[in-house]
Structures are given as structure tokens and as C-alpha cells.
Amino acid sequence: MTKTIVVTSGKGGVGKTTTSASIATGLAKRGYKTVVIDFDVGLRNLDLVMGCERRVVYDLVNLVNQESSLHQTLIKDKRIENLYILPASQTRDKDALTIEGIARVMHKLKKSDFDYIICDSPAGIEKGAKMALYFADEAIVTTNPEVSSVRDSDRILGILQSESKRSKMNEEPVKEHLLITRYNPGRVKDGQMLSVDDIVDLLAIPLLGIIPESPTVLDCSNEGKPVILDDDSEAGQAYSDAIDRLLGEITKPHRFMEAPKKGFLSRLFG
Amino acid sequence: MSSKAGVELKGGMYTFMSLKLHTSDTDIINQQLADKVQQAPAFFKNTPVVVDFSALEALTDEQFDANELIECVRRHKLVPIVASLSNKSSPLGDSIAIPLIEGSVRSAATQKSTEKQSSQEQTEEQNEPSSAIEGSTISREVEFIVKAPLFINKPVRSGQQIYARETDLIIMGPVGPGAEVIADNNIHIYGPLRGRALCGVSGNASTRIFCTSLEAELVSVAGSFRMLETIPPELRGKPAQIWLEDGKLRIEPL
């Protein structure tokens, strides 16, 4: 059974693409055949984070318009077995996507025995975001610990309830997961950021993971390497924990919620 | 919200007394009506009634003057406002001089549902149970219309709007900031209210809002509203109820 998971947030810049890349890589690393789709048509980013930007020939829009085959369009990851990337088009816009076209692509992926389809949603609540979440079985709602991000997440949760295929077909609702990214326990303590408890209280959905704010995340993005592959970093370990919970180990305790005991200078310079 | 229109057209439901005629014999009607009215003259004086002719429709062969029966009702200081027939286009209907409606009190629920289909209204309403108490030949029938409340057992998210038409709204879960919950009747929220809640929106000033944690952006009862800034800080985050008293919005802890 193929599972389709959308990574969404409403707000931009909270870490959707970083999360999509790491979740897809993490699942593939555990042996699941996984594809990650960039739905951000016109603002192609996922290929950069996955480090395959030079290998993009065809893209999602070509596939939707039946101008290329699945085999031609999917980019096989060089590091991880079972991992494929379906890039977005950089020259087109979101109007190039249709539900029927996406449905055809999803059907082909399911017939190719993928275990997981990870949909990297664009920001906003417009057509692109709605297309990305339409076919979702589960949703990872990526949220930063600040009020505007939490409010936008609340909004996107409402859209998941009313505009996903599952809601329209009156099926079991989309399973929702909360992933808090860029969490900085020190700033939470100082009252500059919302705490995990505040966010869970506001959004009222189960917590999948807490990814600590870390310079490693940006370093990895620049390198074109999903941060989950950096086993030494806290962010990488936190994503690994999230994969465990996604695969059913829901009682796994959350880490990186306390401020590390560091000196004043080392805190300043990270 | 504050601009006052000179006229306003609204759909509404009112409860009227229904007078069902089981005979066309004016002497019997006169006698029994007189007995009834005598029991509570003040109650019956100038009371509007629906005259239910449905039991007399079968008697088409028997000659009787429907308008004379209506006149007879008027003599007892009752005000016949409308005649009720099970079929408006029956021959009896042509002779009646006051407005006609279809259906009797007992079939109020089915009549409502056909009306609903014709106006293509889509609300989450249930069939209203109606009960009629029938006594002697001339009986006072009282109609109780109880609508099931609109029940929501999941969080109401930012950007969502829930409207309970002509009924109560019950929410089990939080109402997020930027969400709007609206009801013609009361609103009960078993969770924090962080968005907007508006009760009595079609004018019912005796409705209330209840919530287990008041963090609302706005609360409104029958058009009178208050924003978060004007809600006393000591009430914020506390269980509270909001209602209208002498035209002023009151907020008290539960």
C-alpha cells in the first residue's frame, strides 16, 4: 500500500523543503521505496536541497502533460537506494497543474510499487498548495515556534479537513502530524519563542518531532545533502526520531527541548 | 453591524394556535368555542389562530359556508389569520376568503421538508418533532419545534466558519484564532475560544455564549460586540459566559 504524505505549513520559509528532503531520505534509508515530489512549480528548490539540480531533464509539468515517461522524469538518488526525486518545473507556473494530471502521476507511482510519496508543498493556500495536499493520506504540518507560523498552520489544517480528496470523498480524515522546526530552547526560555506545549495546545494535533535550530541545516542545504544524513548533528538525529515516530514508534521521547548548558560566548557563536 | 436599515425581510418561525374544525355545524362550534373562551377570556382575546379545515375537506358534498365558520370564530374575539388545508387547490380552498396554507399542524415536519426542498436551503437541520395535543371537537393544538443543535467534535481552524441556523452550536474542541463560530441560538464551546463567536445573529437577544477558556478576538450577542482589548484581563483564559442585559454585553466567569 502506497502512503502519500504532504509536507505543508501555509507560511513560507519554515522548513518544508528541508523536511521533505529529510523525511523522504530517512524513509528510503529504512528500506522503503520513496519518491519526493516538488510541487513548487516555478520556484524549484527541492533538487538543490537533494543535490541533484544538474540532473534535471524532465519535470513534474512534463509528466502531468504526458510529454515524458515516469522512468525518464524520476531522478534516482546517488547516495540512497530506493530514493527518487520528481522535480518541479522552473519555467512554468502552478496553473500548469491539474487534479486529473496529478491523479495520473500518482496512479503511475502507485503502480511502480512506491511505499511512500512525499509531496513538498509550496507556501500559501492557493492552487499549488491545494494540489499538493489533495491526494494526501497523512500530513506533516511544519511549524516554527512563532505566532504567525502557528496561525498559518491552523489555517492549512482547516484546508486539509475541507479540501483534501479524503474529505471530499467522505473517507477517513487525513492523519495530521505536527513537526516543530527551528526550535531554540534558549529563546523559548527567554520568552522570545513559543514553547512546544504552547504550540501543541494551539494546534491540537499529535507531535511528530522537534527539530532544533542549527547552523548544520543551512550547511547541508548548501551542500545539497538532506540534513538527516548528518548523523552527528542534533537536527539530523531529531529527523531520525521523527521517522521512527512516523513508522509507529509514537512513544519515543522527544529530545532537544532543553537549552544546552553552554557558556555565554559559545552561545553567542553557536 | 451598526448601520440600521429601515426595513428588513427575514424568514422566521412562529408558534400559532391552531383551531381544528371537526364539524361544519355552527351551533356546535359556537357552543364549544364559547365554553373554551370562557375558561380564559383574556388569553383568547384577539389571539391570532390558524383555522384548520383539513377535517372538513372530505365533506365536499355537504354544503357549508367556510366563510361563515370563520365569521363564527371571529365572534369569539379570536383572529383567524390563515386557513389551513391539506390541499390548497381543493374546491373548498376557492371559497375561503382568508389566506391559505397547506398542511395541518400534525404534518408540520413533512410540510417543512417540502418547503425546504423548494427553497433549496442547505442547513444541518434535523426533522423537527412536532407534537399536537388534541382534545374535544374543538381543541387547542400546541406545536413544539425543537431543532437538534449543530454539534462539532473537532477543532475549528483559522479561516473556517461554522453557522448553526435556528439552533444551538456545540463545539468540543478549540476555536482557533481567525475562526468564526455563529449561531442563531446559544454557542457552547468546550475548549478555548480564540477566534470570533457570534450568537443570536438573527436578533435573539436572550442567547448566550459559553466557553471553558475565554481568549476570543471578538464576542457578539445579537449584534452587540466586544473585542479582546475590552475584555477584562482577569477574565481572559477563564471559563466564562457572555450575555446581553439591558442592551449591555456582560461577561462573567462560570
Side-chain angles (χ1 to χ4, degrees):
Chain A
M1 244 325 257
T2 312
K3 251 190 200 158
T4 307
I5 303 177
V6 62
V7 178
T8 188
S9 69
K11 196 170 160 59
V14 296
K16 284 182 296 297
T17 302
T18 303
T19 298
S20 300
S22 281
I23 295 288
T25 306
L27 288 167
K29 231 177 128 183
R30 312 275 170 108
Y32 297 99
K33 189 175 176 185
T34 306
V35 58
V36 53
I37 310 177
D38 190 351
F39 272 86
D40 206 348
V41 177
L43 295 165
R44 199 176 85 196
N45 279 169
L46 181 70
D47 51 317
L48 290 168
V49 177
M50 294 296 295
C52 64
E53 70 275 15
R54 296 191 188 163
R55 296 163 59 210
V56 176
V57 183
Y58 294 105
D59 57 50
L60 179 62
V61 173
N62 295 131
L63 194 56
V64 163
N65 293 341
Q66 296 174 296
E67 295 156 358
S68 63
S69 73
L70 191 63
H71 181 74
Q72 285 173 315
T73 318
L74 287 182
I75 302 171
K76 194 177 185 315
D77 190 83
K78 286 191 166 166
R79 293 159 295 217
I80 310 286
E81 191 72 15
N82 291 329
L83 180 58
Y84 297 83
I85 298 106
L86 181 47
S89 168
Q90 182 67 352
T91 53
R92 305 290 294 274
D93 62 31
K94 272 118 191 146
D95 292 331
L97 300 180
T98 59
I99 289 285
E100 298 74 39
I102 304 287
R104 255 195 321 269
V105 174
M106 292 293 178
H107 184 69
K108 281 181 192 166
L109 290 170
K110 283 177 186 175
K111 276 177 72 181
S112 306
D113 291 326
F114 276 97
D115 295 307
Y116 284 97
I117 302 172
I118 309 296
C119 303
D120 180 20
S121 171
I125 53 170
E126 284 78 29
K127 195 179 173 188
K130 286 181 182 171
M131 291 278 177
L133 66 79
Y134 186 77
F135 292 98
D137 301 312
E138 300 189 20
I140 297 176
V141 177
T142 312
T143 306
N144 285 172
E146 46 132 341
V147 280
S148 60
S149 177
V150 173
R151 177 172 297 194
D152 290 359
S153 294
D154 197 40
R155 183 85 168 90
I156 208 82
L157 282 164
I159 292 173
L160 274 164
Q161 279 169 20
S162 58
E163 309 228 6
S164 62
K165 187 180 173 208
R166 280 176 173 268
S167 68
K168 295 206 166 163
M169 302 290 165
N170 265 327
E171 291 169 357
E172 200 184 319
V174 175
K175 194 173 169 189
E176 299 151 340
H177 306 277
L178 172 63
L179 187 78
I180 301 172
T181 52
R182 295 199 169 160
Y183 195 70
N184 186 327
R187 295 185 68 184
V188 171
K189 217 173 150 193
D190 298 343
Q192 296 167 322
M193 276 186 176
L194 292 174
S195 72
V196 171
D197 290 345
D198 288 343
I199 301 169
V200 172
D201 183 47
L202 282 163
L203 293 178
I205 59 171
L207 182 61
L208 181 71
I210 304 154
I211 313 300
E213 189 171 45
S214 153
T216 324
V217 176
L218 184 60
D219 293 345
C220 284
S221 285
N222 291 337
E223 261 180 68
K225 169 177 147 188
V227 69
I228 198 168
L229 292 177
D230 191 333
D231 294 329
D232 299 332
S233 71
E234 289 190 343
Q237 291 169 27
Y239 272 118
S240 281
D241 288 1
I243 296 284
D244 290 336
R245 291 187 201 101
L246 194 62
L247 293 173
E249 218 183 302
I250 43 169
T251 52
K252 195 178 180 86
H254 290 276
R255 295 194 273 171
F256 318 114
M257 288 170 76
E258 302 301 325
K261 288 184 176 57
K262 279 186 181 176
F264 174 71
L265 279 176
S266 60
R267 224 161 77 191
L268 265 187
F269 299 111
Chain B
M1 205 171 281
S2 57
S3 74
K4 279 269 179 275
V7 290
E8 198 174 13
L9 278 175
K10 272 185 183 171
M13 288 170 75
Y14 296 87
T15 308
F16 285 109
M17 204 192 297
S18 156
L19 180 72
K20 188 161 187 172
L21 302 176
H22 289 280
T23 175
S24 60
D25 188 329
T26 46
D27 292 340
I28 297 177
I29 293 173
N30 259 328
Q31 182 57 46
Q32 296 194 357
L33 261 182
D35 289 351
K36 279 275 172 205
V37 170
Q38 208 191 353
Q39 288 169 15
F43 177 79
F44 287 109
K45 196 178 177 189
N46 292 331
T47 302
V49 290
V50 176
V51 187
D52 187 347
F53 281 97
S54 58
L56 300 183
E57 275 171 284
L59 311 173
T60 39
D61 290 329
E62 199 177 322
Q63 284 300 311
F64 71 96
D65 186 353
N67 291 315
E68 199 191 310
L69 300 186
I70 291 168
E71 214 32 63
C72 171
V73 173
R74 279 208 185 99
R75 276 199 292 275
H76 293 276
K77 297 282 196 299
L78 291 165
V79 186
I81 48 163
V82 65
S84 162
L85 292 167
S86 61
N87 182 6
K88 236 160 101 174
S89 52
S90 73
L92 180 61
D94 297 335
S95 62
I96 296 175
I98 61 173
L100 297 177
I101 52 163
E102 249 175 32
S104 66
V105 171
R106 304 196 122 217
S107 62
T110 38
Q111 183 200 341
K112 251 304 248 168
S113 67
T114 47
E115 270 172 21
K116 218 164 53 188
Q117 276 164 10
S118 60
S119 63
Q120 290 193 331
E121 248 184 22
Q122 295 206 335
T123 50
E124 297 87 343
E125 49 195 351
Q126 314 289 319
N127 275 342
E128 305 86 2
S130 71
S131 80
I133 306 153
E134 214 171 325
S136 57
T137 313
I138 297 162
S139 63
R140 190 182 151 220
E141 295 185 12
V142 184
E143 189 182 339
F144 294 104
I145 295 177
V146 181
K147 279 193 66 169
L150 177 56
F151 185 79
I152 307 286
N153 62 352
K154 57 189 179 192
V156 183
R157 303 289 183 186
S158 177
Q160 288 183 324
Q161 199 182 49
I162 309 263
Y163 175 35
R165 189 186 296 274
E166 293 168 8
T167 189
D168 278 8
L169 177 57
I170 302 174
I171 296 164
M172 307 291 291
V175 175
E180 214 166 57
V181 292
I182 306 165
D184 285 333
N185 275 4
N186 305 299
I187 300 177
H188 312 256
I189 302 162
Y190 297 93
L193 168 58
R194 301 187 174 110
R196 299 164 163 229
L198 301 93
C199 72
V201 286
S202 51
N204 188 348
S206 60
T207 54
R208 296 185 181 208
I209 298 168
F210 306 86
C211 63
T212 55
S213 176
L214 180 63
E215 300 160 45
E217 290 169 343
L218 179 146
V219 287
S220 162
V221 180
S224 303
F225 68 94
R226 257 161 102 169
M227 310 290 290
L228 179 66
E229 284 92 81
T230 64
I231 295 172
E234 64 272 17
L235 287 174
R236 289 183 204 165
K238 300 275 169 18
Q241 65 164 325
I242 299 119
W243 75 99
L244 211 53
E245 201 173 279
D246 303 326
K248 283 182 97 175
L249 207 61
R250 292 200 50 190
I251 305 175
E252 293 278 323
L254 282 178

